[in-house]
Amino acid sequence: MKFDYHIHTEDSYDSSIKTIDLIDRAIQLKYDEIAITEHLDLLPIEMKSYGAPSLKHYFKRINDLQNTISELTLLSGVEVGDYHIVKDYAVSLLEGINFDLILGSVHFLSDQTNVAIPLKKQLSEEQIRDYYLQNLALVSNCDIDVLAHLGVYKRCYNSIPVERIHYPIIQDIFRVIIDRKIALEINYSSLRRGYPSFIPEQHILELYLALGGQLFSLGSDAHFIEHFDLFRDSIPQEFSNSFRYHL
Ligand SMILES: [Zn+2]
Ligand SMILES: [Zn+2]
């Protein structure tokens, strides 16, 4: 089973991928299933820059494509940024649209630092604690299928930091997602940015496994066609085929 459940295409403001090109490439590379997961970023600062996407239009577009493809399964999804902060608004936009996958992710800290873009300097321990607490609030309060890119702030680091003091919060996150049957995404976008591991790293995944976690998702988080499939081979087999979203 070869799949990628985190890809951005033409309905994401920051992606240059044409969905049809992605489908061609995925068929070439023998994928069984891919999920398009366009951004739903609703914080005021994001709305000011990008506006609200038309989810109905996007959903219809993917549906129309689904009807033309037989070589692979195309899923429709969204990545809701900072869902717990914009929950009511996000729920109202998602209502009545039957997406296959809802990803939840934290992009902003309480102090407005955007941790999804290259950081000017490394985060303080306090900011890292805040980052994980935001993730805990997200998974506790929002209905999502997948927790996306946990540890995203490390993507621009060049070595793996010691996060031992944050393990108790990370374990709380894992307890909640296990209880709520939310899959943990292994995101390999970090590898193409020079970070020496996918995220969460093996030692963080061990914490999840030790608590009984078994549901994994896998995502390239590609925004450019040449990034799709890149470094996918570096994910250990035991994780890369263990989660399949059931329609
Ligand atoms: Zn993201
Ligand atoms: Zn993404």
Side-chain angles (χ1 to χ4, degrees), residues 4-233:
D4 182 343
Y5 288 161
H6 188 158
I7 313 165
H8 297 277
T9 69
E10 60 209 70
D11 277 307
S12 287
Y13 54 83
D14 57 353
S15 171
S16 72
I17 300 178
K18 290 268 167 246
T19 313
I20 194 72
D21 296 342
L22 173 75
I23 292 167
D24 287 346
R25 186 101 185 93
I27 292 170
Q28 244 174 46
L29 293 166
K30 303 204 175 341
Y31 275 76
D32 299 291
E33 219 161 80
I34 57 169
I36 313 294
T37 53
E38 306 294 34
H39 286 294
L40 185 59
D41 287 337
L42 301 173
L43 289 173
I45 186 175
E46 296 168 314
M47 292 288 288
K48 225 168 81 185
S49 308
Y50 315 115
S54 171
L55 293 184
K56 286 195 178 112
H57 165 86
Y58 157 55
F59 185 67
K60 184 180 180 309
R61 190 171 70 75
I62 301 299
N63 264 329
D64 292 347
L65 280 169
Q66 281 164 339
N67 294 328
T68 65
I69 303 156
S70 57
E71 296 93 326
L72 58 71
T73 306
L74 176 68
L75 302 178
S76 62
V78 281
E79 177 188 5
V80 188
D82 307 285
Y83 199 163
H84 56 301
I85 311 279
V86 296
K87 187 175 166 189
D88 291 347
Y89 187 25
V91 167
S92 74
L93 293 180
L94 290 167
E95 205 177 288
I97 311 176
N98 199 14
F99 284 113
D100 297 310
L101 274 182
I102 307 285
L103 275 52
S105 58
V106 171
H107 293 142
F108 282 86
L109 304 181
S110 320
D111 66 7
Q112 308 303 318
T113 302
N114 182 346
V115 291
I117 57 172
L119 296 159
K120 290 191 191 78
K121 56 178 178 117
Q122 296 204 345
L123 296 185
S124 67
E125 292 299 348
E126 219 166 294
Q127 286 177 308
I128 297 169
R129 181 180 155 78
D130 177 54
Y131 170 73
Y132 285 116
L133 285 173
Q134 298 292 328
N135 275 274
L136 182 58
L138 170 75
V139 296
S140 303
N141 297 314
C142 302
D143 289 329
I144 57 173
D145 301 299
V146 177
L147 173 61
H149 60 52
L150 183 68
V152 69
Y153 76 89
K154 290 174 274 185
R155 275 200 301 209
C156 59
Y157 287 21
N158 48 28
S159 63
I160 298 174
V162 177
E163 293 182 291
R164 208 167 290 276
I165 61 165
H166 305 293
Y167 280 10
I169 304 174
I170 295 172
Q171 284 166 319
D172 283 345
I173 295 168
F174 290 158
R175 280 187 200 98
V176 174
I177 63 172
I178 291 166
D179 184 49
R180 303 194 68 204
K181 300 188 171 43
I182 295 167
L184 178 64
E185 177 184 271
I186 301 176
N187 183 301
Y188 41 102
S189 65
S190 48
L191 289 163
R192 59 177 190 259
R193 297 183 185 212
Y195 187 63
S197 172
F198 44 82
I199 52 169
E201 306 83 343
Q202 182 77 38
H203 61 280
I204 304 283
L205 296 178
E206 301 291 346
L207 299 176
Y208 176 65
L209 291 167
L211 290 166
Q214 294 178 332
L215 268 187
F216 292 96
S217 183
L218 204 59
S220 64
D221 209 347
H223 292 68
F224 297 91
I225 193 78
E226 56 274 25
H227 289 166
F228 175 63
D229 199 60
L230 201 62
F231 294 112
R232 194 185 183 284
D233 286 350

